[in-house]
Amino acid sequence: MNSALPGLAARLRRQASVLVIGLALAASASAARATSDSEGAVPAPESAPHDIGVDAASQPTGAIDAAPKPEEAQPTAAPAETPAPEGSASAVPAMPPLDTLRAAGPVGASMADLLAETGAGRLKAPAPDRAVLLAFYAGREGRPVWIEDGRFTPKADAAKTRIAAAGDDGLDAGRYRLPDQPASSEDAVATARADVELSAAALAYAREAWGGRLTPGSVSPSISSRPDAFDAAAALGSLDGATDVAAVLDGFNPQHPQFQALRKLLVEARASRADVTVHPTIPGGKLLTPGDDDPRVPALRKRFGLSGAENDYYYDSALADAVTDFQKAQKLGASGIVNRQTLKALNFATKPKDETALIEANMERWRWMPRELGAKHVFVDLPAFELHIFQDGRSIYDTRVIIGKATNQTPLLSSAINQIVVNPYWNVPVSIAIKELAQGSLRGYEVVDSRGRVVESVDWEAVRAGKMRIRQAPGERNALGHIKFLFPNSHAVYLHDTSSRSLFAKSDRAMSHGCVRVDKPLEFADALSGDQGYNGDKLQKMIGGKERGLGLGTAIPVYLTYFTAKVGDDGRLETRKDIYGLDERVSAALRGEPLPPIKVESLPQIVRAKPKPAPTEAQTASAAPAPQAPRRDGPGAWLARLFGDSRY
C-alpha cells in the first residue's frame, strides 16, 4: 500500500495542474469578452466646455463655459444586480442618440441629419454644441421645443425677441442665427431645421451671456480670471422647462450690480447717439475771416444750419454772427474769426464722445468674474489703486495700494487668501536680481541653491535659469516690510507691506514689478482676519525674529480686477486710465481685429568685466586706499532705488 502512494500523489498533481490551467483559460476568455464589449460600446456625447479664441468671430458661440445648473438630485444607492431574463427590456442596450432620432419619425430623422458629425446639411455649430443638442433632442425622441402645428409658439417668439436684443447686453446679436417661420407644417425638414437652429441660437447666447465672447487668456497672458463653468445640457433643460423664457435667457448674464448698471448706461448711450446730429467736419487751413472767400464756407454754413448755395464761398455777416455766438458759448475769443482754437472746438462738438466700446469691454470683464463673490471678500481695484473688503455687499474697509508697472502688470485673477506670513523672507525675482544685484554687492542678502541651502558664491546664469536664487532676510529693510498675505496663483504674486511708505502719497501708483503693496497692512489684517484671531495687535507683537506662517481657518476670496469704467452712486459713468492698455486689446478682440502689442520688460544680458592682470609689488605698495562703498542709506544706494522700483 505504501508503495502505491508516490503514484497516487503524481496523479493528483497532474489533475491539479489541469484544473489551474483550465481556470486561467476561462479567466482569459472572460477578460477578452469584456474588452471586446467595451471597445464596441458607443460613448455618450460629451458636453465639455470649449474655447473659441479671438479669431473665431464667425462662430456662433464665444468664450469658454457657463450656465445655471438646476438643483441636482442626490444619487441613491444602486439596487443589488439580478440577472435579467432573456428578451427583457433591461437586457437590450440603449440606442445611440442618432439612431433614436432616426427612429422617431420624419422630424426626428431630419434632426439627426442636422446634428450628425458629417454631412452637407449638418448644423453649422461647434462640435460640442452639436453633441449636446443631439443628446437633448434624443432625450425628447425628436419632439420639437419651439414649434407646434408647424408654427413657432409664443415661447419661441419671446426667445427670438430676447436674443435679437443681445446688443443691449454688450454682445453681438449678429452671431446668433435666428430661423424663419417654417413654410409648411408638412415640411419635416424645415420644421426640424427651424427648431434646432433656435435651440442652437439660444444655447450660443446663453454661453456668451454667461462667460463672454473671448477666452480671457487670449487677451493677455496676465489674465487668469475664468468664468464659472457653463453646463450646456443644464442650460437647454432650463430653457425647455421655462414658463418665462426671456427671463431665463436674461439670467445667464451676470447679476452683479455693476454689470447691471453698465448695461443700463450702454442702452442709454446708444439711444443718445442715435439722437445726435453729426455735423460735417470743417477742414483745417488759414484763418477764416468775415469777408473772405473760402471753399470751407459751405461746410461751416451747414454746421450752423444756415442756408446757402454749395458754390457760394463768401463768408457773410450772418455766418460771422453764428460763429461769434459759438465762440461766446465755448468761452473763446468772440471775434468771428475761425482760428485754430475755434476750428478744434467746432470739430470736437461735431463728434460726441462714444463710450459704448469702453462699457462693452468692462461688461466683458465682468463675465469673467465668479457669479458668487462670497459674503466676505477682498476686491483689489487695480486702475483705481484701491483695495476694498466687502461684507454682505457693503465695503467695510478701504485702503490705497501700489500695483505693477505697465511693463510688469499685476495679473487679473480670482483666488482666496489662506495664509499670513510675518517677518517674511524676500525671494528676489529673477528680473530684479539680474537688473539690480548682478553688478553690485550682495551685502544683506543670501544666496540659496535649488535645495534651499545657503551657499557662499553665486552663479548668475544659474540664477537666470532658476537653479539658484537670492533672498533678503527679514528685518526693517526688507522690501516686503513685516507682513505678506498669500493666496494660491500661478503668477507668484501676493499682497504685502513695504518699507517704502512715501510712495503711497503719489496719485499714479503703478510702480511695482507685479505684486500689490498695501498701505496699512496691520489695519487691513484687522478687517481681514481679526475675527479669526489674527488682528493687527497680535501680528504686531510677532514682528521681529524668524519668518512665521499663519494659516487662516477660513480662506477669504480675493479678486485682482481691472475695471476702467464703473457707475457711481449718482448713476453717471466714472472712467479710469487704461494703464495696461487692456481696453484696447479687449475692444480689438471683440471686433475681430489684430490686438495691439503688450509692453514687456526683458532681462538684460549679464556683462562681465575682463579680469585685470595682477598688480606688481611696486604698484601694490604705491596704491591709494580704495574708496569706501557708499552708505546703504545714502542717496546713491541701489537699495533705495530698488524700493522705488520693486516688484514687491
Side-chain angles (χ1 to χ4, degrees):
M1 185 174 182
N2 290 341
S3 61
L5 286 177
L8 177 60
R11 287 196 300 274
L12 289 175
R13 284 196 296 270
R14 286 196 297 270
Q15 290 172 358
S17 299
V18 170
L19 180 60
V20 170
I21 294 171
L23 290 173
L25 290 173
S28 177
S30 177
R33 285 195 302 273
T35 303
S36 175
D37 291 344
S38 64
E39 289 175 350
V42 178
E46 296 180 355
S47 57
H50 60 285
D51 291 353
I52 293 185
V54 296
D55 59 344
S58 63
Q59 295 294 332
T61 59
I64 184 174
D65 307 0
K69 292 186 179 181
E71 206 168 311
E72 296 177 359
Q74 294 298 317
T76 56
E81 293 187 6
T82 56
E86 287 190 24
S88 68
S90 59
V92 179
M95 292 176 64
L98 277 176
D99 292 346
T100 299
L101 283 179
R102 290 193 174 110
V107 173
S110 297
M111 289 177 174
D113 292 338
L114 282 168
L115 298 171
E117 293 185 6
T118 59
R122 70 191 178 104
L123 182 72
K124 292 182 179 179
D129 281 5
R130 286 203 314 277
V132 173
L133 288 164
L134 175 60
F136 172 66
Y137 277 106
R140 296 176 56 83
E141 297 182 341
R143 287 180 292 107
V145 179
W146 312 100
I147 297 175
E148 288 181 5
D149 299 326
R151 300 193 63 79
F152 282 127
T153 62
K155 176 177 173 178
D157 293 334
K160 290 175 67 176
T161 300
R162 183 64 188 84
I163 296 169
D168 293 344
D169 307 316
L171 301 173
D172 181 4
R175 289 167 63 85
Y176 318 120
R177 180 175 179 175
L178 296 173
D180 296 326
Q181 186 79 251
S184 169
S185 61
E186 304 300 323
D187 190 340
V189 174
T191 298
R193 179 169 288 278
D195 204 88
V196 172
E197 284 185 349
L198 183 50
S199 291
L203 179 59
Y205 171 87
R207 185 189 300 280
E208 294 190 343
W210 183 272
R213 290 167 51 190
L214 308 176
T215 302
S218 69
V219 176
S220 169
S222 69
I223 301 178
S224 293
S225 303
R226 291 290 183 272
D228 291 340
F230 178 67
D231 189 330
L236 287 173
S238 65
L239 292 169
D240 183 21
T243 54
D244 186 348
V245 71
V248 172
L249 285 167
D250 185 65
F252 287 102
N253 289 286
Q255 301 303 302
H256 301 302
Q258 272 296 315
F259 178 89
Q260 296 294 329
L262 286 170
R263 179 162 65 172
K264 182 174 181 289
L265 285 189
L266 178 64
V267 174
E268 293 174 358
R270 285 190 171 142
S272 64
R273 285 186 60 78
D275 295 337
V276 169
T277 301
V278 180
H279 299 288
T281 300
I282 313 301
K286 65 182 182 65
L287 287 177
L288 187 54
T289 305
D292 286 350
D293 280 303
D294 193 289
R296 294 172 293 172
V297 166
L300 189 61
R301 194 182 290 121
K302 186 180 295 184
R303 167 67 179 80
F304 291 108
L306 301 176
S307 60
E310 287 294 325
N311 58 356
D312 181 2
Y313 295 164
Y314 180 65
Y315 187 1
D316 58 18
S317 59
L319 182 56
D321 289 343
V323 170
T324 301
D325 290 342
F326 175 80
Q327 290 172 329
K328 289 178 180 178
Q330 298 292 319
K331 295 182 172 55
L332 300 171
S335 62
I337 298 174
V338 182
N339 54 19
R340 183 179 299 173
Q341 289 77 17
T342 301
L343 194 65
K344 182 178 180 180
L346 282 166
N347 288 333
F348 179 81
T350 64
K351 296 179 179 179
K353 187 176 181 180
D354 183 6
E355 293 177 326
T356 57
L358 175 64
I359 296 173
E360 287 178 340
N362 282 272
M363 290 174 71
E364 177 75 7
R365 283 195 283 264
W366 270 110
R367 298 184 199 278
W368 304 342
M369 295 288 289
R371 291 306 166 103
E372 297 295 333
L373 300 180
K376 183 177 184 178
H377 62 270
V378 178
F379 193 93
V380 182
D381 188 342
L382 298 178
F385 310 111
E386 294 175 351
L387 177 151
H388 308 275
I389 298 179
F390 284 92
Q391 179 78 53
D392 299 324
R394 181 178 62 87
S395 178
I396 61 171
Y397 181 77
D398 310 291
T399 191
R400 295 171 294 182
V401 296
I402 293 171
I403 68 170
K405 299 178 293 184
T407 52
N408 298 93
Q409 299 176 9
T410 297
L412 280 58
L413 57 84
S414 301
S415 187
I417 297 174
N418 59 4
Q419 188 179 27
I420 299 174
V421 179
V422 185
N423 308 313
Y425 275 94
W426 177 36
N427 290 297
V428 184
V430 173
S431 59
I432 299 177
I434 299 298
K435 289 181 64 177
E436 302 287 347
L437 304 181
Q439 308 302 325
S441 169
L442 289 180
R443 185 177 170 187
Y445 287 80
E446 297 175 347
V447 182
V448 183
D449 65 14
S450 60
R451 299 177 63 180
R453 298 173 302 187
V454 177
V455 297
E456 295 299 323
S457 60
V458 57
D459 179 345
W460 289 106
E461 293 303 328
V463 171
R464 184 190 292 272
K467 298 178 180 179
M468 187 174 283
R469 70 178 189 274
I470 313 298
R471 71 181 185 186
Q472 186 182 29
E476 290 296 327
R477 295 183 177 275
N478 188 284
L480 303 188
H482 297 298
I483 187 170
K484 66 180 178 180
F485 304 85
L486 301 183
F487 43 90
N489 67 91
S490 61
H491 300 273
V493 297
Y494 40 84
L495 310 178
H496 68 91
D497 183 16
T498 177
S499 56
S500 188
R501 311 221 56 82
S502 62
L503 297 178
F504 288 103
K506 296 181 178 292
S507 58
D508 186 339
R509 297 191 289 276
M511 303 173 182
S512 80
H513 277 68
C515 279
V516 178
R517 308 178 198 170
V518 181
D519 186 14
K520 298 177 180 179
L522 294 179
E523 285 186 7
F524 171 59
D526 268 336
L528 177 78
S529 55
D531 57 352
Q532 298 191 44
Y534 296 128
N535 56 36
D537 289 341
K538 183 171 184 177
L539 297 175
Q540 176 71 57
K541 294 175 182 177
M542 298 181 187
I543 291 176
K546 295 182 178 180
E547 182 179 83
R548 183 173 178 183
L550 309 168
L552 296 185
T554 302
I556 300 172
V558 59
Y559 307 101
L560 308 188
T561 69
Y562 192 89
F563 294 109
T564 53
K566 63 169 290 189
V567 182
D569 294 337
D570 59 358
R572 296 178 181 273
L573 189 69
E574 299 175 2
T575 61
R576 289 85 168 270
K577 183 180 178 182
D578 182 18
I579 51 179
Y580 292 166
L582 295 182
D583 285 343
E584 300 175 46
R585 292 178 66 83
V586 171
S587 295
L590 290 174
R591 294 191 300 266
E593 299 174 357
L595 275 60
I598 299 175
K599 296 178 181 180
V600 295
E601 188 173 56
S602 57
L603 292 180
Q605 295 294 322
I606 300 174
V607 180
R608 302 190 181 282
K610 293 182 179 179
K612 295 180 179 180
T616 63
E617 292 184 5
Q619 290 173 328
T620 302
S622 61
Q628 292 185 352
R631 291 172 53 197
R632 294 177 61 82
D633 57 351
W638 66 266
L639 193 58
R641 296 197 308 274
L642 183 61
F643 286 157
D645 189 30
S646 165
R647 176 174 184 179
Y648 304 99

